[in-house]
C-alpha cells in the first residue's frame, strides 16, 4: 500500500518530489507526526518515523484473529492463512499483481524459509501458543464455506462472508 506524505512549504523534513521505497505501516504515522511536531516519540510506540533515516527490512501484518499473517520485504511477500494453514509467496517486483504463488517452488525455498522464520518471530504470544507446535506453524482445519444464494446488494458488498 502506498503512503503519501505531504508537508508544508516551510517543512524541510519532508522532501518535495522525493520517492522513498521504505516499508511503512500505520504504526509509523505517530512517530512521524511526533518528529514533525518536535515532540519526543513515546517509548511504547513501535513504529518508525517516515522522515528519519531508519528503515525496516521486513513489514508484518495481521488480518483477523484466525485470518492471515503476512511478512513482506521490498521484493517478496509471504502470506500465511491460518484457516487451512496455507502459504502464499509472491515476488512483488516480478509479479506486482500477486498472481503466481511461489511457496512450493524449489527455486524459492530459501526465501520461503527465511520469511517463514521472520513470520514466526513476529507472532504474538497468543498466536504462538495457538498456532506453533514444535517450531512449526500449524493453523486450524479449513472450514467449509456456505453462502446463501443472495443476488441482492448485500451479496455484492460481500456481507454474506462469515
Amino acid at each position: 500500500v502506498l503512503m503519501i506524505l505531504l508537508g508544508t512549504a516551510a517543512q524541510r523534513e519532508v522532501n518535495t518530489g522525493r520517492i522513498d521505497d521504505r516499508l511503512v505501516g500505520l504504526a509509523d504515522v505517530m512517530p512521524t507526526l511526533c518528529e514533525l511536531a518536535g515532540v519526543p516519540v513515546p517509548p511504547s510506540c513501535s513504529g518508525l518515523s517516515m522522515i528519519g533515516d531508519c528503515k525496516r527490512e521486513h513489514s508484518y501484518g495481521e488480518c483477523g484473529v484466525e485470518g492471515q499473517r503476512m511478512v513482506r520485504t521490498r521484493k517478496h511477500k509471504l502470506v500465511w492463512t491460518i484457516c487451512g494453514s496455507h502459504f502464499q509467496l509472491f515476488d512483488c517486483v516480478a509479479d506486482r499483481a500477486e498472481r503466481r504463488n511461489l511457496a512450493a517452488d524449489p527455486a524459492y525455498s530459501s526465501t520461503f524459509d527465511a520469511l517463514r522464520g521472520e513470520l514466526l518471530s513476529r507472532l504474538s504470544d497468543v498466536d504462538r501458543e495457538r498456532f506453533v507446535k514444535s517450531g512449526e506453524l500449524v493453523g486450524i482445519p479449513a472450514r467449509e464455506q456456505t453462502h446463501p444464494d443472495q443476488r441482492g446488494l448485500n451479496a455484492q458488498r460481500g456481507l454474506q462472508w462469515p
Side-chain angles (χ1 to χ4, degrees), residues 3 5 22-36 41 45-52 54-56 58-60:
M3 174 73 73
L5 185 62
R22 73 180 70 204
L23 298 171
V24 298
L26 290 176
D28 300 327
V29 173
M30 182 179 175
T32 303
L33 294 177
C34 287
E35 188 170 338
L36 288 171
V41 178
C45 185
S46 64
L48 297 174
S49 173
M50 291 181 268
I51 60 172
C54 292
K55 294 184 179 184
R56 65 176 53 90
H58 300 89
S59 178
Y60 173 78

Side-chain angles (χ1 to χ4, degrees), residues 60-65 67-70 122-124 127:
Y60 173 78
E62 299 180 354
C63 181
V65 176
Q68 294 178 323
R69 305 294 181 264
M70 179 273 304
R122 298 289 189 101
L123 292 176
S124 69
D127 277 356

Side-chain angles (χ1 to χ4, degrees), residues 7 19 47 54 59 73 85-86 106 113 123 146 158-159:
I19 296 174
C54 292
S59 178
T73 66
S85 198
H86 175 72
D113 291 342
L123 292 176
T146 58
L159 296 179

Side-chain angles (χ1 to χ4, degrees), residues 5 13 24 33 51 55 62 76 79 81 106 109 148-150 154 161:
L5 185 62
E13 301 90 353
V24 298
L33 294 177
I51 60 172
K55 294 184 179 184
E62 299 180 354
H76 295 100
V79 179
T81 303
S109 63
D149 185 16
Q150 295 179 347
N154 284 346
W161 189 256

Side-chain angles (χ1 to χ4, degrees), residues 68-80:
Q68 294 178 323
R69 305 294 181 264
M70 179 273 304
V71 66
R72 187 183 190 308
T73 66
R74 284 175 182 77
K75 184 167 173 56
H76 295 100
K77 176 165 56 169
L78 179 70
V79 179
W80 177 51

